[in-house]
Amino acid sequence: MPKDTTNCRILSPEYESLEREKLESLQGKRLHDTVKHVYENVPMYKERMDALGVTPDDIKTIDDITKLPFTDKPDLRDHFPDGLFAVPRKEIVRVQGSSGTTGKPIVSGYTQNDIDVWTEMVARALAAAGCTDEDTIQITYGYGLFTGGLGVHQGASKLGATVVPMSSGNTQRQIMMLKELGATMMCCTPSYATLIGETIREMGIDPSELKLKSGCFGAEPWTAEMRNNLEGLLDFNAFDIYGLTEIGGPGVAFECTEKCGMHINEDHVIAEIINPETGEHMPDSTPGELVFTTITKTGQPMIRYRTHDICTITKEKCACGRTTARMGRITGRSDDMIIVRGVNVFPSQIESVIVQIEGVAPHYMLVVGRENSSDTLEVQIELKEDMLSDTVSDIENLRNKISEQIKSVVGVSAKVTIVPPKTLPRFEGKAKRVIDNRKL
């Protein structure tokens, strides 16, 4: 069972617990100021707003946000490197980004104000997970252009915690440092945390020998079942944290000890849910694509930025005392979704099946192909080591069970291939779960 954490700490109650009416009034004012800022300083936004017949004076409340144009990832590539900067280059103190899959990376310029805002958001997230100046945080997110390492580092330092900036990789060294330096919190991707937990067990180390009490994990979708598996491996509390380079890195949203959704830092961003196909604004608690608008960022503000992450949002007050809206767990990405024989399939759906099946490890790969003009789906899953002694018939029964569960949950049949332990790749950063061999 996970260790108990302290009562949920609210770092900035004047904003995190602000009455919703006052919070939305603050958002409306900041939205107007941001729209005016980009209209006057970013040609792309001025052109798009002019085409819609919208001016900053038309944006008076948060309800007016639907009058504004969307921004999407191709816009950042098309205006690379600094075409979306809203301030002179000399005011940009840092550039963060992510690797590009089409030749150009995604970058975002941060002013000192933006760094300070981001730091505050991460500090709130870590505080909600129990972090204080008495803690030691081992950061195994990558450092560099990727926002994970530096973002968590900033937030931890603001709280006065001791930071161990390990970055990713060299798993056995990670474990040695966890043990010797007595880290009480770990921050990385959930898939890498799972690898660390498995390796700890393989090394004959009992989790009780470590001082870990909690961790903040993000940068990729993960299921509630994967959280349970991770907490079992390391005997601690695992919290979800969300962010993206374009909006403000990790800390845009985070879980509290209630673990019933991630609190969005609404004094800094406005979140919407839209229909990913039509762009239509969706009501609360309805699944759809998450859209963010920054309202305190000055270097490279984002207006109605389409994240392509699929989730829900609720504005019900949380038992922890926060009044900020909460986003549900990311169930997939509209751009990572694969269509197999006309059925929408998200890797997280497959994962939700696998982690509930005894005898297989939470490591899998989806291989999509095409035979005779028909789509094929193969799900490769690792067998646990303690199952190696089972008979062929036992393995076949396990395979059939998984296949039936996938058909029931996803709605499409799949070929299930059970592979030996440690056969599938491990990921120190974001996990890659799909190989699509179709020529679409």
Side-chain angles (χ1 to χ4, degrees):
M1 294 294 292
K3 301 180 180 74
D4 291 334
T5 58
T6 58
N7 291 330
C8 192
R9 178 184 173 197
I10 302 179
L11 186 66
S12 305
E14 67 274 23
Y15 292 112
E16 296 181 74
S17 300
L18 187 62
E19 293 178 14
R20 280 221 63 86
E21 185 177 349
K22 293 181 179 179
L23 176 58
E24 291 179 1
S25 177
L26 175 67
Q27 288 181 310
K29 181 183 183 304
R30 289 181 170 179
L31 174 63
H32 169 80
D33 293 346
T34 296
V35 170
K36 185 174 186 294
H37 180 51
V38 298
Y39 187 82
E40 294 174 349
N41 294 286
V42 183
M44 184 194 79
Y45 282 122
K46 185 178 188 305
E47 291 170 7
R48 292 186 179 182
M49 289 176 63
D50 287 346
L52 294 172
V54 179
T55 71
D57 290 338
D58 295 318
I59 309 302
K60 298 179 176 64
T61 72
I62 58 171
D63 292 334
D64 294 323
I65 198 168
T66 56
K67 299 175 182 178
L68 296 168
F70 289 111
T71 312
D72 210 335
K73 186 166 288 189
D75 294 324
L76 281 86
R77 293 196 176 102
D78 292 344
H79 294 85
F80 176 84
D82 57 6
L84 297 183
F85 287 5
V87 298
R89 177 64 78 91
K90 67 180 181 180
E91 294 183 31
I92 297 294
V93 300
R94 191 191 302 173
V95 173
Q96 300 274 180
S98 57
S99 59
T101 57
T102 60
K104 289 184 179 179
I106 297 299
V107 298
S108 184
Y110 288 70
T111 63
Q112 187 57 54
N113 165 78
D114 302 337
I115 297 294
D116 294 342
V117 166
W118 178 19
T119 299
E120 168 71 13
M121 292 196 294
V122 183
R124 292 177 186 178
L126 297 177
C131 179
T132 72
D133 57 6
E134 299 288 336
D135 286 288
T136 297
I137 300 183
Q138 184 156 317
I139 301 174
T140 58
Y141 284 119
Y143 278 70
L145 279 177
F146 174 60
T147 56
L150 285 170
V152 175
H153 192 129
Q154 293 162 192
S157 296
K158 181 178 176 67
L159 294 176
T162 301
V163 178
V164 184
M166 289 292 293
S167 194
S168 59
N170 200 335
T171 302
Q172 294 205 354
R173 186 164 179 257
Q174 296 272 6
I175 294 169
M176 184 269 287
M177 297 296 275
L178 279 172
K179 188 175 180 180
E180 297 301 325
L181 293 178
T184 54
M185 180 178 283
M186 178 171 65
C187 298
C188 58
T189 63
S191 55
Y192 190 46
T194 299
L195 173 59
I196 288 174
E198 291 174 341
T199 307
I200 283 173
R201 300 278 182 166
E202 291 168 2
M203 292 172 66
I205 300 173
D206 191 297
S208 63
E209 298 178 41
L210 305 178
K211 293 183 178 180
L212 283 174
K213 67 178 184 182
S214 65
C216 286
F217 307 101
E220 63 188 18
W222 54 308
T223 62
E225 292 82 9
M226 188 172 179
R227 185 220 298 276
N228 293 336
N229 177 70
L230 180 56
E231 290 183 335
L233 280 172
L234 290 169
D235 189 27
F236 71 165
N237 270 285
F239 295 91
D240 209 348
I241 187 171
Y242 177 89
L244 58 168
T245 298
E246 303 90 308
I247 302 301
V252 171
F254 58 89
E255 277 187 320
C256 66
T257 51
E258 295 296 322
K259 296 182 181 178
C260 56
M262 287 180 279
H263 291 275
I264 301 168
N265 279 305
E266 288 191 285
D267 52 321
H268 297 298
V269 298
I270 296 174
E272 305 172 73
I273 295 292
I274 65 168
N275 181 316
E277 296 180 0
T278 67
E280 176 189 3
H281 198 275
M282 304 295 285
D284 289 352
S285 303
T286 304
E289 181 182 341
L290 182 63
V291 172
F292 278 120
T293 297
T294 62
I295 52 176
T296 54
K297 197 173 183 183
T298 54
Q300 187 174 314
M302 289 282 103
I303 303 298
R304 303 194 79 193
Y305 184 75
R306 299 186 61 162
T307 68
H308 296 283
D309 288 330
I310 304 298
C311 69
T312 60
I313 288 179
T314 179
K315 293 186 175 70
E316 294 180 1
K317 184 176 179 179
C318 182
C320 74
R322 291 177 178 83
T323 55
T324 48
R326 283 168 286 146
M327 54 182 279
R329 189 175 289 273
I330 301 297
T331 58
R333 288 181 54 83
S334 60
D335 55 356
D336 280 351
M337 178 187 75
I338 53 177
I339 300 177
V340 180
R341 298 190 292 276
V343 177
N344 297 342
V345 178
F346 292 99
S348 58
Q349 293 175 301
I350 304 293
E351 181 179 295
S352 69
V353 171
I354 294 170
V355 294
Q356 296 185 65
I357 302 291
E358 293 290 334
V360 293
H363 302 291
Y364 64 96
M365 186 69 70
L366 311 185
V367 182
V368 187
R370 178 161 288 173
E371 293 180 5
N372 300 321
S373 300
S374 179
D375 294 334
T376 62
L377 173 62
E378 179 187 8
V379 181
Q380 300 175 353
I381 309 169
E382 277 190 12
L383 193 68
K384 284 186 176 178
E385 291 193 7
D386 57 9
M387 296 288 288
L388 285 173
S389 60
D390 284 19
T391 64
V392 173
S393 62
D394 289 335
I395 301 299
E396 182 64 16
N397 289 336
L398 179 62
R399 189 190 68 78
N400 290 335
K401 179 181 179 180
I402 297 172
S403 181
E404 291 171 3
Q405 288 292 319
I406 290 175
K407 179 65 181 296
S408 175
V409 170
V410 180
V412 65
S413 58
K415 174 186 177 182
V416 174
T417 302
I418 297 181
V419 301
K422 297 182 175 31
T423 301
L424 297 177
R426 301 295 193 265
F427 303 95
E428 296 171 356
K430 295 183 180 182
K432 299 176 180 62
R433 303 293 194 188
V434 180
I435 300 173
D436 195 337
N437 293 322
R438 297 173 296 182
K439 299 186 183 299
L440 301 178

